[in-house]
Amino acid sequence: MGENRASADGDRRIGRRALIVGGIAAATGTAVLARDELARLWWRMPGVEKPREQGVVDYAGARWVAASDANWRRADRPDDYHVDMVIVHVTQGSFDSAVQAFQNPGHKAAAHYIVGQDGRVTQMIRELDVAYHAGNRDYNERSIGIEHAGFVDRPEDFTDEMYEASARLTARICARYDLPVDRKHILGHVEVPGTDHTDPGPHWDWDRYLKLVRRARTAPTPTPSTSPSSTAG
């Protein structure tokens, strides 16, 4: 799974755009900026966060189950941190055990999404926010983490339904952040500098996966959720 050193990821840096807007407001005074412009940009001011609705998912095919707030850090991505990669994980356990671990504040790690062997997708952290999943602060800030239920030494855990559901999810993430579908921007946890993890392991079929992601990238884009999803565990 993910990172055990959440304390190293605890302080949030203010994004460049927030600093620019904050500096303009301080230097020129709010009277100089048009009222409608301030209304549009207020959340980029230092200390102000984007409005968000509890339970809303970023991927239309996902169900929402919230991770413990000890396992992620609130952010305003991509305005404060540019998202430029998807990181593929394997849970080394069942789907349900991964959900329970990410809900546990003592776990100190969680990914944005979990994909099951039956193709179900659960989102546990908003893409706006920084999940503690990669074991590397810089990679955490720049990535979306996707866990896959199963074990790295059991190729039978990587089902057709899992590959296809995960590929659709990754395709939508790549489209949202304008990421090329390649191994520079879609990587395994094992490839993160400084990690001691081996997932997704030798049985993960990268050629097949990237082919599915490219195919899904050309499919019609699902309509994003605009209302809270189920929070049942």
Side-chain angles (χ1 to χ4, degrees):
M1 288 186 184
E3 175 179 0
N4 294 318
R5 294 170 296 155
S7 60
D9 209 354
D11 59 311
R12 178 182 166 208
R13 296 197 298 266
I14 297 172
R16 182 176 62 86
R17 295 173 75 177
L19 285 172
I20 291 171
V21 174
I24 291 172
T28 64
T30 57
V32 177
L33 293 175
R35 181 172 299 177
D36 61 342
E37 186 71 4
L38 279 175
R40 185 172 65 85
L41 296 177
W42 68 271
W43 57 265
R44 294 182 185 170
M45 302 285 283
V48 179
E49 297 168 329
K50 282 183 180 178
R52 61 188 77 193
E53 185 177 354
Q54 184 177 3
V56 170
V57 296
D58 297 297
Y59 175 64
R63 180 188 64 157
W64 176 258
V65 179
S68 168
D69 59 10
N71 298 331
W72 56 275
R73 174 160 54 92
R74 196 173 178 97
D76 291 328
R77 302 191 310 172
D79 290 292
D80 48 5
Y81 305 114
H82 177 62
V83 175
D84 62 7
M85 70 184 82
V86 175
I87 298 179
V88 173
H89 302 259
V90 173
T91 62
Q92 290 298 95
S94 69
F95 186 97
D96 291 339
S97 68
V99 171
Q100 292 169 7
F102 295 169
Q103 291 177 316
N104 178 5
H107 188 62
K108 304 301 183 186
H112 295 91
Y113 296 95
I114 306 174
V115 180
Q117 293 170 5
D118 57 1
R120 59 180 154 161
V121 178
T122 290
Q123 182 171 3
M124 301 193 69
I125 299 169
R126 289 293 306 275
E127 291 181 16
L128 288 166
D129 298 320
V130 175
Y132 303 153
H133 67 100
N136 178 305
R137 176 172 177 157
D138 178 52
Y139 277 61
N140 281 344
E141 291 171 347
R142 296 164 49 202
S143 67
I144 306 295
I146 305 176
E147 287 277 2
H148 298 81
F151 293 85
V152 297
D153 58 350
R154 287 173 28 178
E156 64 271 20
D157 288 351
F158 305 141
T159 64
D160 294 343
E161 293 84 359
M162 173 183 283
Y163 273 118
E164 290 167 4
S166 179
R168 289 191 295 270
L169 169 59
T170 294
R172 296 277 65 83
I173 294 169
C174 289
R176 185 157 36 252
Y177 301 103
D178 195 25
L179 306 183
V181 179
D182 58 32
R183 291 285 282 113
K184 181 179 178 181
H185 298 86
I186 304 172
L187 57 153
H189 194 183
V190 66
E191 298 168 87
V192 175
T195 186
D196 59 357
H197 290 252
T198 62
D199 53 315
H203 300 298
W204 183 261
D205 190 337
W206 281 108
D207 289 340
R208 176 186 182 185
Y209 187 62
L210 292 181
K211 185 180 296 184
L212 288 170
V213 175
R214 292 187 184 106
R215 186 175 71 186
R217 181 75 184 265
T218 64
T221 304
T223 302
S225 171
T226 55
S227 59
S229 300
S230 168
T231 56

